[in-house]
Amino acid sequence: MNVLVINAGSSSLKYQLLNVDTGEVFAKGNAERIGIDGSFIGHQEKGGDKEKLVVELPDHKTAIKHIFEIIDGLGVQVDGIGHRVVQGGWYFPSSAVVDDVALAQVREVAPLAPLHNYAEADVVQICRELYPELGNVIVPDTAFHYDMPERAWRYALPRDVVDRLHIRKYGAHGTSHRFIWRAVNKFSEGKVHKLVSCHLGSGASLCAIEDGHSMDTTMGLTPLDGLIMGTRTGTLDPATVFYLQRVGGYTVDEVDTMMNKQSGLAALSAISSDSRDIEEAAEKGDANAELALDMFAYRCAQLVLEMAQAMEGFDTMAFSAGIGENSDDMRARICEKLGWMGVKIDAQKNAIRSDEIRDISAEDSKIRVLVVPTNEELMIAMDVQELLS
């Protein structure tokens, strides 16, 4: 089955056309600066060179039309469309075939992820209108965490407030964590039972997965909670928000922007939100860059143990996403901080670059340590195949 996977943002749209059974990627790309001057589509076919197509993209509908024109030129039949949806809210414990009710529910929960859900719902509707013969499936990032134990998802707020406003820990990156579990379970031949999954990228979260079930995760009501990220604060005293407003004179929107787009590694390093730039600066002796890396590793190690407590122990941990897959330095830093409890990695294994899942544990490590290239697009496509077949 050939599935077109779409990941829509407020001004961007990523896509990938792949075959679920073989894993072959026919094409992938991204439409950028939608509704903004200087819009373009970056397109790549079958692992070839990426080409930049300068086109006017006044809205998502125009972007989708362009993308389907490009795909039509490949001569590959599209059998279904899968849509990444950031927030499934209180409606979606799993992926779902799109109908009018499901689409309305995606819009209803959009206040929990306003920069994403509205655009995603619009794109789903556009695909239904333009290509009514194709089935659409929504795959919420939050679905994997839907059935976490109540002790993990409930906040200690008044029950009437929580129930009326649907406030709880929803988490994120669920599609990635679900893929990581499946990959690790297959790699270990079913011998993994308690996995701490570390999705470390510009957005980052950890997840405690026991026998395939999410027991806890580090992101909360929104993706701002948990680990320090590229531009997000991660966990801090919630009263900081009040202090910034009352004493600093910042508005609610200014605090929101500060904590989501002006903080994290970018603020700590005063260099960049990209860990590669920060690592390069740290190697040259930049103290702020070194502090940013040390704080990221320190906080990640703390959260590994929080996730382990959710399962009362763990036998495996897996690094994934941009930082987790590519930064041997950060993996070493985190594991070194966990060395007191028996986590050890082999330096030579850790230095190897590969697109395959691999074991970097030292022989005497008490915890198995893996590097797992994530593949959210394949996970979404698999859900499409399962639901539309």
Side-chain angles (χ1 to χ4, degrees), residues 3-285:
V3 176
L4 176 63
V5 176
I6 294 178
N7 181 357
S10 57
S11 62
S12 65
L13 195 157
K14 297 179 183 178
Y15 62 93
Q16 187 174 124
L17 177 62
L18 70 155
N19 183 278
V20 183
D21 301 306
T22 65
E24 180 181 4
V25 177
F26 301 108
K28 62 181 179 179
N30 53 298
E32 297 289 345
R33 300 181 63 82
I34 298 173
I36 307 171
D37 290 341
S39 58
F40 66 92
I41 295 176
H43 178 72
Q44 184 179 21
E45 296 179 11
K46 297 185 177 180
D49 294 334
K50 195 167 188 177
E51 55 180 323
K52 182 177 180 179
L53 309 173
V54 179
V55 290
E56 292 291 331
L57 301 175
D59 49 43
H60 285 81
K61 187 171 186 176
T62 305
I64 290 171
K65 284 183 176 179
H66 276 294
I67 289 167
F68 265 91
E69 287 174 4
I70 293 170
I71 289 172
D72 286 344
L74 298 174
V76 178
Q77 176 180 309
V78 178
D79 301 311
I81 306 175
H83 299 266
R84 179 199 179 214
V85 171
V86 167
Q87 179 56 258
W90 50 96
Y91 283 121
F92 297 101
S94 61
S95 301
V97 176
V98 176
D99 57 18
D100 291 342
V101 173
L103 187 56
Q105 291 170 338
V106 172
R107 293 190 189 280
E108 184 180 343
V109 303
L112 292 168
L115 293 179
H116 294 88
N117 268 49
Y118 288 118
E120 289 157 356
D122 288 345
V123 167
V124 173
Q125 183 60 41
I126 292 166
C127 288
R128 296 179 77 203
E129 292 172 354
L130 292 177
Y131 310 98
E133 73 280 7
L134 294 175
N136 289 263
V137 171
I138 58 170
V139 182
D141 269 1
T142 55
F144 185 55
H145 309 300
Y146 188 94
D147 291 322
M148 286 188 301
E150 186 173 3
R151 64 174 181 266
W153 65 254
R154 180 172 285 279
Y155 289 129
L157 289 166
R159 283 183 175 269
D160 61 325
V161 174
V162 168
D163 295 342
R164 177 168 51 87
L165 298 176
H166 304 284
I167 298 173
R168 59 162 282 174
K169 176 184 281 192
Y170 288 103
H173 294 142
T175 305
S176 177
H177 288 304
R178 184 158 54 105
F179 178 86
I180 292 165
W181 165 263
R182 292 175 68 131
V184 170
N185 192 47
K186 182 178 179 180
F187 183 78
S188 68
E189 299 179 334
K191 295 179 182 177
V192 59
H193 295 291
K194 297 180 179 182
L195 169 71
V196 175
S197 174
C198 306
H199 178 108
L200 308 181
S202 57
S205 70
L206 281 66
C207 184
I209 309 175
E210 184 170 358
D211 292 327
H213 300 283
S214 174
M215 304 300 289
D216 202 350
T217 189
T218 57
M219 285 181 168
L221 176 73
T222 75
L224 184 60
D225 200 9
L227 186 58
I228 297 166
M229 298 171 233
T231 61
R232 297 178 189 143
T233 60
T235 300
L236 44 67
D237 183 346
T240 306
V241 176
F242 317 141
Y243 184 83
L244 286 169
Q245 291 176 19
R246 291 170 181 160
V247 180
Y250 294 95
T251 66
V252 172
D253 289 341
E254 286 172 338
V255 174
D256 193 342
T257 298
M258 182 192 303
M259 292 187 171
N260 278 286
K261 298 181 178 180
Q262 300 169 349
S263 300
L265 293 176
L268 291 170
S269 69
I271 293 171
S272 171
S273 62
D274 191 315
S275 65
R276 293 168 294 187
D277 298 334
I278 300 172
E279 286 183 10
E280 184 178 343
E283 289 175 3
K284 295 177 180 177

Side-chain angles (χ1 to χ4, degrees), residues 345-357:
I345 59 174
D346 183 297
Q348 291 184 325
K349 292 179 181 177
N350 186 42
I352 295 173
R353 289 290 186 97
S354 172
D355 292 331
E356 302 295 327
I357 186 172

